[in-house]
Amino acid sequence: MHLLSLPDSMSAAPSETPMMRQFQDAKRQHPDKILFFRMGDFFEMFGEDAVIGARVLQIALTSRDKKKEGALPMCGVPVRAYEQYLNKLTAAGYKVAICDQTEDPAQATGKIVNREVVRIVTPGTTVSPQLIDPDRNNYLLAASLDLKAQRLGVAYADVSTGEFELCEFAVDQLPRLYDFLMQLDPQEILLPQSRSTAESEFLETLTHRLGQLLDQVAPPLAEDAPRTEATPGRCQFIDPYHFDEEAARRNLCRHFKTLNLAGFGVEDQVHGLRAAGAVLRYLEDTQMCNLTHLTTLRLHSVEQAMLLDETTLRNLELFEAQSGQKRHTLFHVLDQTVTPMGARLLRHWLRRPLLKVEAIEERHDAVEEFSRQFLLREELRNLLKTVQDLPRLIGRLSLPVAGIPDLVGLRESLEPLQQLPVFYQRLEAARLRAIGAEFDPLTDLLERLQHQLLEAPSHRLSEGGYIAEGVSAELDELREISRNSKEFLNRVLQRERDTTGISSLKISYNKVFGYYLEVSNAHKDAVPEHYIRKQTLVNAERYITPELKEFEEKILTAEERIGKLEQELFQALKAQIVAETTRVQQAAQLVAETDVLAGLAHTAEQNRYVRPQLKPLGAPGSIRFRDSRHPVIESIRMGEPFVPNDIHLEASGCRVMLLTGPNMAGKSTFMRQIALNVLMAQAGSFVAAEEAHLVLVDRIFTRVGASDNLSQGQSTFLVEMNEAAAILHQATSQSLVVLDEIGRGTSTFDGISLAWSIAEYLHELGALTLCATHYHELNALAGELDGVENFSVVVEEHGEEIVFVRKIVAGEANKSYGVQVARLAGIPTPVVERALQVMQELEATSVGHRLPELTPSPRPLAQVEEQAAHWTRSQPDAAPAQLSLFAESPEWLETLKSLDPDQMTPLQALTTLHDLVRQARTQSL
Ligand code: ADP
C-alpha cells in the first residue's frame, strides 16, 4: 500500500508544524482510511480525505495555510456530533480512523498535545445503532485459502451482538460457498493477499462472483464516490500473516482464556481457525479494546440446515421483493416478533430451514401451544415489547463507545425479564419448558443497575448526574456541598445586605470572575473597603471578596471531582455488567426464541395457518396440501379473494407435475406457494393451507421466470441455463424442484428440447418437481412416463373474453389464450382483432400445429432434435405463410401513422378514431 498523496505543503519537512507531523504519522499508519484528526472542538480531515469527506458529508471544503500555493484541503466536523458524520462515511463504504487527543490539553502546557488513533470504524465493525439494522446481523467475515489441501476456511463475527462462528468448505464446493455467503450477507470480507498465481486466480474469481452476488443485496458505493485508497468495497486483501494457524490458535486461546480450543469443538477445523484468527485480529485492531462479549466460537454446521441457493432466495422473495417493497416478502408476512433479536432469529430460521423432523416438531409444538394459549401469548408479547436489543446493548457496553443510555437500556430490558419465569411455568411444550428451565432472569444485574443508577440519569458522561445516592460516600458528600451552595450564597447575601444596608445587592456568577457582588451606582458609596472592584458597568459596579473566592474554589473543585468520580463509578459498574456478558447473551437468545415462537403463533392465527403433519427426510411420503395459498400474495390482495389449490406430489405417484395454462393464469403463484409453504414448515412455522402432510425435503430449488441478469454481463438464456445446471447437479431424490418456463429464453425447438430433457432427467432422479410450461408439447411426457402428470389452470371463455378462475385441475390446457391475455393487458382492440385473424390464418396453413409426437428416453434430446428437423422439412409453406403476415401494413395503420394529434381538434380526433376503428374492423374480417 502506498501513502495517500499529500500536497507539498504537508510533506515539506521544514515548514511542517509538529501537529501536522503528528497527522502525517497517523495517516502513514492508516493510509486506507479517512483520518478524523482531533483539533480542539473539531475532528479535521486533510488532503484527499478532506475532498472525500466534504463530498460525502456535504460540508464545506476549505484549506489550511490559505496564503501558500498548493494549500492543503481541509474540512471538519464538530466533536459533539461527529458520530453522525462517521456513520455517513461508513454507510458509504469507507473506513474511518479516529485520531483523538489522549491527554488533557490543559495539562500539556508548553508542548503539543498527544494524539493517537483510538478507534477504527469500518462497515463490518460498526456498532452504531443508527447504522445497523435492528433485525439484521452485521457480519465481518474472513476466508482463508489452502489450495494444496483444497480447503477454504470461513469465520465470521458480528461485533454488535458477539456472535462468532467458523466453518469449512472444499474448494470444489464453490456454489455452496456462494449460497452460504449470500445468506450471511457480510458487510466486510477479509481475504489473504495471494502468494501464488493459482491462489490469486482463485481469489479473483471468488471476489468477482462475490461482487456480483453481494451488490445485489446492498447497493454499491454511490456512483460518484471517488475510488481512492480509502474506498474499500466489501472485499479487502490483508497480509497472509493474519491467517497464520499458530498465531490464530495462540490469539484465540488468549482471547478466550483457555489452554486449547477443544472445548469449542473446533480444534480440528484448521482452515476455519485460520480465518477466525484473522477475524479476531481485525476486530482487535479496529476496536482497540478487549472484546469481552465475544464469549464463544461456534462451529457452524452447514449440514444441519437446508441450504437455500441465491436464485431460490431471490425467486421466492424471502427477504427482498422484486417489486422492491418490503411488505411483499415472506419475512415481512411472517414477522410478528416484538424484539430486534427475535426478528434477527426469525430471519436466521427462514434462511436455514431444518432437516430433522424432531427439531421442527419441537418448534411446531411450541407454536401450537402458543396458538392455544391466546391470552398468555399476547400478555407475553406485550411484556417482550419492552425488552430492547440485549445482545447489542451488552456488546456496546464492552466497547469504549458505551454510554449511560446503554446501561439505562439494559436496566429497562431486565425489568420485564423478571416476570418471564412465571410464563414459562404455565407452558407445557417441550421446547418452551426447556427454555424456561434454562432461563436466567439476571435479577442480580438488574438490582445492581437499580441500586447504582439514578432513576432518570443524565446522559452526559463527563458532567455527572447519573450515579445514585448511596453508592459512594465521597460522591454523596461532594453533592451535599454542591447542593448547599445555594443556601450558603443566600446566607452571605442576606448578611451583606444587612451590614452594608444595600438592599438591592445581588450575587451572580460568570465565567470570567466567578462569583461576584453587584452594586448599583446609587449605592456605590456604601460599599465596604474589603470589596475588591472587578468591573464597572453603566449603572453598576461588580466586586469580589476573599470569602466568595474561597467558596467558589470549593464548589468548582467539588463539581469537577463529582464529574470525575461519577465517570469512575460508571466504568466500575460497566465492568461488573460486562463480566456477566455470557449470561446476558444466553438470556437474550432464549428471549429471542420465545419471541419468534410466540410471533409465529400470532401470525398463524391472524392468517389462518395450520400445523403441517411431517414425515422424516427420506421416508416414503408426499407433499400434500389441501387448499394451499400463497402467504404473501394473499396478504397483499385487496378485494378479490385468493383462490386456494390442492397438490399431491409423491415419489411413488405423481412426482413431476407439468402445469400448463395461459399467461397470468396463476401458474407461478401456485408453484411458489408450494415451495414457500414447504420452506415455512421446515423453518418451524405453520402453513397457509387447510391441511398439509409433508415429507421433509433436503433442498428447495427454484428457477422462476426468465429474469434478466444483464447487469452482470450475462444473457438471459445463459443465466437460465446456469441456474438449471446448478439444480441438475445438486438436486437429489429428496429435493423439491420448481421450474417455471424453463427453455423460454431460446428458440422454440431448442426450448422444447431442453425443457423436455430436463423434466425427464428430474423424473429419473426422483425429485419432486413442479414444472410450468407454455410448451404444450411437453404434455406428451405424461403419456410416456409413470410419475409425470399433466395439470392446467382453468380459464373460462365468454365469447372472445376469458376469465381466470385460478383453479388447478388434472389434464392439459388446450389453448394458450395469448391473444386474449394481450387484450386484458391493454393492447389496442385493432391489434388484438388482427392477431386473432392472423391466428386463424396460421391454423389454416398448419403453422400453428403442434410438433409431431415426441418420444421420451432413452436418448430424448437427439431424437427431439431429429424430429424437430424432420417436422420443419415437412412444412414447406411455413416460411412464406409467416412472411406474408408482415408483408404489408394495413391501410388503417398507414392512416394512423400519418396523423398529427397536435393539429387536431378534439372533435376531429374522435371522428378520426371512429373511422380508424371501422377501417381496422372491416380489414380484419
Ligand atoms: P402465470 O405464472 O400463469 O403467468 P402468475 O402466477 O404470475 O401467472 O399470476 C398472475 C397474477 O394472478 C398474480 O399476480 C396474482 O395476483 C394472481 N393470482 C395468481 N394465482 C391466484 C390465486 N390462486 N388467487 C387469486 N389470484 C391469483
Side-chain angles (χ1 to χ4, degrees):
M1 278 188 248
H2 67 269
L3 252 176
L4 191 68
S5 60
L6 296 174
D8 288 348
S9 59
M10 283 209 75
S11 45
S15 62
E16 264 178 359
T17 62
M19 194 171 64
M20 285 329 258
R21 259 200 305 277
Q22 253 183 355
F23 166 79
Q24 282 182 323
D25 286 347
K27 184 72 207 174
R28 209 166 283 128
Q29 285 164 31
H30 301 279
D32 59 335
K33 299 168 194 100
I34 292 182
L35 194 75
F36 271 28
F37 190 75
R38 174 83 181 259
M39 285 171 72
D41 290 338
F42 279 82
F43 277 117
E44 302 287 0
M45 286 160 265
F46 297 107
E48 210 171 318
D49 288 358
V51 177
I52 297 171
R55 179 158 23 195
V56 177
L57 303 174
Q58 308 254 301
I59 53 176
L61 184 68
T62 58
S63 57
R64 189 173 165 80
D65 220 351
K66 286 192 190 102
K67 279 160 263 150
K68 275 200 187 156
E69 240 180 67
L72 182 64
M74 108 181 221
C75 64
V77 298
V79 171
R80 270 191 179 264
Y82 84 100
E83 282 263 355
Q84 77 191 62
Y85 293 101
L86 182 70
N87 287 345
K88 257 195 182 169
L89 285 167
T90 330
Y94 293 96
K95 294 186 269 178
V96 183
I98 317 252
C99 185
D100 206 348
Q101 294 164 346
T102 49
E103 64 180 342
D104 188 347
Q107 311 290 311
T109 40
K111 70 173 183 74
I112 179 165
V113 187
N114 263 339
R115 289 184 177 82
E116 271 169 43
V117 171
V118 293
R119 195 175 135 214
I120 291 164
V121 185
T122 71
T125 62
T126 175
V127 289
S128 169
Q130 289 89 42
L131 215 59
I132 42 181
D133 207 338
D135 62 10
R136 271 170 196 250
N137 275 104
N138 197 52
Y139 289 119
L140 164 77
L141 180 138
S144 73
L145 175 64
D146 186 342
L147 280 184
K148 252 196 236 126
Q150 290 282 296
R151 300 292 286 174
L152 224 143
V154 172
Y156 51 92
D158 180 342
V159 72
S160 66
T161 63
E163 281 157 69
F164 192 11
E165 299 196 338
L166 59 78
C167 57
E168 290 190 3
F169 291 85
V171 164
D172 60 4
Q173 280 182 316
L174 272 188
R176 260 181 113 79
L177 173 75
Y178 293 140
D179 293 343
F180 171 77
L181 291 179
M182 257 305 279
Q183 287 184 17
L184 208 66
D185 188 16
Q187 288 306 304
E188 217 175 328
I189 298 174
L190 310 175
L191 296 165
Q193 277 153 3
S194 54
R195 284 189 261 222
S196 68
T197 325
E199 258 185 28
S200 39
E201 274 170 12
F202 184 92
L203 290 171
E204 200 174 308
T205 322
L206 186 79
T207 45
H208 178 69
R209 184 74 182 123
L210 287 183
Q212 291 174 340
L213 292 178
L214 298 176
D215 278 352
Q216 281 181 5
V217 288
L221 292 181
E223 257 183 21
D224 64 339
R227 309 263 152 182
T228 71
E229 270 201 87
T231 313
R234 286 215 208 181
C235 292
Q236 59 176 310
F237 291 93
I238 57 174
D239 193 324
Y241 170 73
H242 291 230
F243 291 86
D244 180 71
E245 187 192 337
E246 272 299 296
R249 284 183 190 275
R250 212 174 36 245
N251 282 342
L252 289 164
C253 288
R254 176 187 46 74
H255 173 79
F256 293 117
K257 302 190 177 65
T258 53
L259 276 181
N260 55 42
L261 299 166
F264 301 103
V266 295
E267 189 77 343
D268 54 345
Q269 303 283 312
V270 178
H271 307 279
L273 282 176
R274 289 168 55 196
V279 166
L280 182 65
R281 190 175 163 149
Y282 190 78
L283 286 179
E284 285 178 344
D285 284 355
T286 52
Q287 305 298 312
M288 302 188 166
C289 67
N290 214 345
L291 300 153
T292 36
H293 64 304
L294 260 58
T295 51
T296 185
L297 178 60
R298 286 205 186 87
L299 177 63
H300 173 102
S301 161
V302 183
E303 275 69 38
Q304 273 171 19
M306 185 196 296
L307 203 60
L308 291 167
D309 60 274
E310 179 233 331
T311 318
T312 303
L313 271 179
R314 183 162 31 89
N315 285 336
L316 292 182
E317 300 178 299
L318 254 50
F319 306 106
E320 314 266 333
Q322 271 151 31
S323 66
Q325 293 217 34
K326 237 180 160 182
R327 67 188 189 96
H328 293 174
T329 63
L330 181 69
F331 176 70
H332 180 83
V333 170
L334 294 187
D335 182 23
Q336 289 289 343
T337 58
V338 291
T339 66
M341 54 269 187
R344 285 198 298 273
L345 185 65
L346 177 64
R347 236 171 218 283
H348 189 71
W349 282 13
L350 290 179
R351 279 200 166 149
R352 306 182 71 220
L354 299 178
L355 300 173
K356 291 242 160 26
V357 87
E358 301 77 18
I360 303 172
E361 285 189 331
E362 243 187 11
R363 290 183 184 173
H364 286 170
D365 286 343
V367 175
E368 187 171 312
E369 171 149 38
F370 273 134
S371 303
R372 265 200 321 269
Q373 298 226 48
F374 162 80
L375 283 176
L376 180 146
R377 179 188 81 217
E378 291 311 310
E379 227 179 290
L380 178 66
R381 292 179 69 242
N382 267 335
L383 185 72
L384 292 183
K385 273 183 196 153
T386 55
V387 182
Q388 298 172 31
D389 201 335
L390 282 173
R392 283 196 169 146
L393 283 173
I394 195 73
R396 271 178 70 83
L397 279 169
S398 50
L399 303 174
V401 289
I404 305 296
D406 301 306
L407 281 184
V408 174
L410 188 64
R411 182 177 63 188
E412 284 170 3
S413 304
L414 294 185
E415 275 162 13
L417 296 200
Q418 308 312 304
Q419 297 173 48
L420 277 187
V422 184
F423 281 93
Y424 290 128
Q425 276 160 20
R426 291 161 60 195
L427 292 161
E428 309 252 290
R431 184 60 206 145
L432 295 171
R433 285 201 151 258
I435 294 178
E438 216 185 306
F439 181 70
D440 165 7
L442 308 167
T443 314
D444 52 328
L445 285 197
L446 174 63
E447 283 171 359
R448 205 169 294 173
L449 287 166
Q450 283 171 333
H451 171 65
Q452 300 201 20
L453 217 52
L454 281 175
E455 184 73 24
S458 134
H459 288 182
R460 292 260 164 87
L461 205 52
S462 57
E463 290 169 20
Y466 41 86
I467 298 290
E469 300 281 317
V471 177
S472 148
E474 188 187 351
L475 179 65
D476 292 351
E477 201 183 312
L478 288 165
R479 283 199 177 138
E480 194 60 24
I481 295 176
S482 170
R483 250 196 305 274
N484 290 341
S485 63
K486 229 179 168 164
E487 226 171 84
F488 175 84
L489 285 175
N490 277 337
R491 271 205 312 273
V492 173
L493 182 63
Q494 202 48 55
R495 192 194 64 211
E496 290 301 308
R497 280 181 182 165
D498 293 348
T499 51
T500 58
I502 310 172
S503 58
S504 60
L505 194 71
K506 279 196 303 193
I507 295 186
S508 307
Y509 178 85
N510 74 19
K511 275 196 178 155
V512 189
F513 325 121
Y515 288 99
Y516 58 85
L517 290 150
E518 191 171 300
V519 181
S520 61
N521 285 347
H523 300 99
K524 228 162 50 179
D525 297 341
V527 169
E529 277 200 359
H530 68 277
Y531 279 24
I532 306 157
R533 198 173 59 227
K534 271 287 169 190
Q535 195 182 20
T536 303
L537 306 178
V538 183
N539 306 322
E541 300 271 358
R542 288 176 174 176
Y543 304 88
I544 56 166
T545 66
E547 184 190 19
L548 274 184
K549 276 289 116 191
E550 197 183 310
F551 166 78
E552 187 182 303
E553 179 91 14
K554 212 158 129 195
I555 289 294
L556 292 186
T557 41
E559 258 150 32
E560 199 176 302
R561 178 76 193 126
I562 288 175
K564 285 231 165 76
L565 196 57
E566 287 210 45
Q567 277 189 57
E568 281 165 31
L569 291 166
F570 164 78
Q571 295 299 346
L573 175 60
K574 199 179 84 160
Q576 289 167 17
I577 304 286
V578 166
E580 307 296 339
T581 300
T582 316
R583 286 174 61 209
V584 178
Q585 287 172 339
Q586 279 163 354
Q589 179 66 27
L590 299 175
V591 168
E593 197 176 334
T594 312
D595 186 18
V596 174
L597 292 167
L600 285 175
H602 185 89
T603 314
E605 184 183 288
Q606 261 191 345
N607 301 354
R608 296 182 302 102
Y609 293 171
V610 295
R611 177 175 182 165
Q613 301 306 315
L614 305 181
K615 290 257 176 71
L617 197 61
S622 55
I623 290 186
R624 192 147 54 90
F625 285 103
R626 183 165 66 78
D627 283 344
S628 70
R629 311 178 310 266
H630 190 298
V632 181
I633 295 188
E634 79 163 347
S635 78
I636 53 179
R637 281 189 77 79
M638 311 265 199
E640 204 188 323
F642 191 88
V643 180
N645 272 300
D646 301 344
I647 188 172
H648 188 162
L649 282 178
E650 188 163 15
S652 58
C654 164
R655 62 177 183 266
V656 177
M657 180 170 179
L658 280 179
L659 191 56
T660 42
N663 272 327
M664 287 299 290
K667 300 184 297 298
S668 308
T669 306
F670 174 71
M671 296 197 300
R672 285 182 200 210
Q673 84 195 30
I674 301 305
L676 282 171
N677 276 306
V678 166
L679 186 147
M680 282 158 65
Q682 293 193 214
S685 164
F686 284 9
V687 295
E690 291 302 315
E691 196 181 331
H693 297 266
L694 308 174
V695 63
L696 298 193
V697 297
D698 61 357
R699 293 207 50 176
I700 297 173
F701 294 98
T702 64
R703 206 279 132 203
V704 179
S707 62
D708 229 321
N709 221 349
L710 291 177
S711 59
Q712 292 179 17
Q714 297 175 29
S715 80
T716 311
F717 184 63
L718 186 64
V719 174
E720 185 180 324
M721 285 301 117
N722 273 341
E723 292 175 358
I727 297 177
L728 299 183
H729 281 302
Q730 296 175 62
T732 73
S733 60
Q734 290 158 19
S735 308
L736 173 64
V737 181
V738 169
L739 298 174
D740 194 353
E741 296 291 5
I742 195 83
R744 175 150 68 179
T746 182
S747 74
T748 311
F749 295 146
D750 282 2
I752 295 173
S753 315
L754 281 164
W756 181 281
S757 64
I758 288 172
E760 235 176 28
Y761 182 93
L762 289 168
H763 170 266
E764 191 70 19
L765 190 69
L768 299 176
T769 306
L770 288 164
C771 180
T773 180
H774 70 285
Y775 295 132
H776 294 270
E777 292 75 12
L778 286 197
N779 285 134
L781 262 176
E784 304 296 331
L785 297 174
D786 271 354
V788 178
E789 287 183 21
N790 293 331
F791 289 83
S792 58
V793 198
V794 180
V795 172
E796 282 175 3
E797 280 185 81
H798 297 278
E800 281 178 3
E801 306 282 325
I802 52 166
V803 173
F804 294 122
V805 182
R806 316 267 185 226
K807 264 294 174 205
I808 312 281
V809 293
E812 62 188 277
N814 50 3
K815 275 167 98 173
S816 43
Y817 299 100
V819 180
Q820 286 85 343
V821 174
R823 188 203 299 277
L824 287 180
I827 296 284
T829 309
V831 180
V832 171
E833 309 244 315
R834 175 69 181 139
L836 284 170
Q837 184 197 18
V838 170
M839 199 164 70
Q840 279 165 13
E841 277 178 36
L842 281 173
E843 277 169 1
T845 52
S846 82
V847 174
H849 279 179
R850 299 216 180 143
L851 277 171
E853 291 238 306
L854 295 172
T855 327
S857 285
R859 300 193 51 221
L861 196 57
Q863 288 182 13
V864 169
E865 271 172 358
E866 207 273 318
Q867 282 166 338
H870 170 76
W871 177 80
T872 316
R873 283 195 299 276
S874 66
Q875 304 293 322
D877 298 341
Q882 215 159 14
L883 280 178
S884 74
L885 290 176
F886 306 104
E888 53 184 19
S889 46
E891 197 189 322
W892 62 266
L893 192 55
E894 291 304 316
T895 321
L896 188 63
K897 283 187 201 159
S898 67
L899 293 178
D900 183 0
D902 289 341
Q903 304 301 321
M904 294 164 96
T905 65
L907 189 62
Q908 279 170 336
L910 197 61
T911 330
T912 318
L913 183 63
H914 271 293
D915 278 342
L916 278 173
V917 170
R918 192 182 33 76
Q919 275 182 40
R921 285 192 178 148
T922 0
Q923 283 179 23
S924 62
L925 284 175

